[in-house]
Amino acid sequence: MKISRILFLLAVLLTAGLGYSQESEGEETLSLESGPISSQFDYVAKKSGNYRADGVRYEVVKEANLYKLRGNVLDSIAAFNKKTSELNSTISEHETTITSLNKKLEETTTNLEAVTEEKDSMSFLGILVSKTTYNLILWTIIAGLFILLGTFIYKFRNSNILTQEAKQNLAELEVEYEDHRRRALEREQKISRKLQDELNKQKKAK
């Protein structure tokens, strides 16, 4: 009986707000065999009678209709629970799919970053460095080679100048040596002639 009263109160609450609107919308086929639960409550309420006793109004509901409505409510709840379970399973599958997609997206992002870094990098002595660093190292080496080349050219020119000066000094020294040797030879010849003259004079004097 408590269940009957609870269901009756639910029927009254549901039908109270819907009675006038349904009447204004026109006649509607009410049944316990089909339609939403709200219309089934309307059907039970419509088929119920009422009476007064001791100044209190009572609603009389057919027990078969009450049990039928109870079964329909339980079936609706079971269907709702089944649908909820199916939705939870679908949500779980979607969450698994989203997790898998997020993992793949993470891997793809990591691979893309690696490819981008490799694209923006150069290998120098087996070490992967950025293009900016690579260009800096390359131009530093080129600048160093130019400095070494300039130093070599400078030293070569200085050496060439020193060599030319040494050759010129040697040529001048050779000229001086030849001049000195010639003068020495002339002095030697003069002395030899004088000595010979003296010898000839001494021979004549004897």
Side-chain angles (χ1 to χ4, degrees):
M1 293 299 294
K2 289 183 178 180
I3 296 175
S4 300
R5 290 179 180 177
I6 292 172
L7 290 175
F8 174 72
L9 290 174
L10 288 173
V12 171
L13 290 173
L14 287 172
T15 56
L18 299 174
Y20 292 106
S21 62
Q22 290 176 346
E23 288 178 5
S24 62
E25 290 172 359
E27 290 295 329
E28 181 180 332
T29 304
L30 301 177
S31 172
L32 290 177
E33 302 300 329
S34 62
I37 295 298
S38 60
S39 66
Q40 294 181 25
F41 273 106
D42 292 339
Y43 176 84
V44 172
K46 185 176 181 181
K47 295 296 182 180
S48 65
N50 59 76
Y51 70 93
R52 288 181 177 274
D54 299 330
V56 179
R57 181 178 176 179
Y58 293 92
E59 296 289 338
V60 179
V61 180
K62 189 177 180 180
E63 189 175 14
N65 290 344
L66 191 61
Y67 282 115
K68 179 65 175 176
L69 180 60
R70 177 177 177 273
N72 291 345
V73 170
L74 292 176
D75 289 342
S76 296
I77 292 173
F80 175 77
N81 289 336
K82 181 180 178 182
K83 187 65 175 178
T84 302
S85 178
E86 291 175 355
L87 289 175
N88 286 333
S89 177
T90 303
I91 291 171
S92 178
E93 291 176 0
H94 288 172
E95 287 178 348
T96 302
T97 303
I98 290 171
T99 301
S100 176
L101 290 175
N102 285 335
K103 185 177 179 181
K104 289 181 179 179
L105 178 61
E106 214 173 290
E107 292 176 354
T108 303
T109 303
T110 302
N111 292 335
L112 180 61
E113 289 176 354
V115 170
T116 303
E117 183 180 355
E118 184 176 353
K119 182 181 177 182
D120 294 336
S121 302
M122 303 288 290
S123 179
F124 180 75
L125 300 178
I127 302 173
L128 201 64
V129 296
S130 65
K131 285 187 176 180
T132 303
T133 305
Y134 178 82
N135 289 334
L136 180 62
I137 294 173
L138 181 63
W139 284 109
T140 301
I141 292 174
I142 292 174
L145 291 175
F146 271 112
I147 291 172
L148 289 176
L149 179 62
T151 303
F152 173 77
I153 292 173
Y154 175 76
K155 289 186 176 181
F156 176 78
R157 291 184 64 181
N158 283 345
S159 298
N160 190 39
I161 292 172
L162 293 175
T163 303
Q164 294 298 330
E165 289 179 353
K167 286 182 178 180
Q168 185 177 356
N169 292 334
L170 179 61
E172 292 176 355
L173 185 61
E174 287 179 350
V175 171
E176 290 180 0
Y177 173 75
E178 287 296 327
D179 186 53
H180 176 73
R181 189 174 68 83
R182 181 179 56 77
R183 288 196 300 267
L185 183 59
E186 290 176 353
R187 284 196 301 269
E188 183 179 351
Q189 289 176 351
K190 286 180 180 181
I191 293 172
S192 296
R193 283 197 296 268
K194 287 181 179 181
L195 180 59
Q196 187 64 39
D197 291 339
E198 289 293 328
L199 290 174
N200 291 333
K201 288 179 180 179
Q202 287 182 5
K203 286 181 179 179
K204 288 179 179 180
K206 292 180 180 180

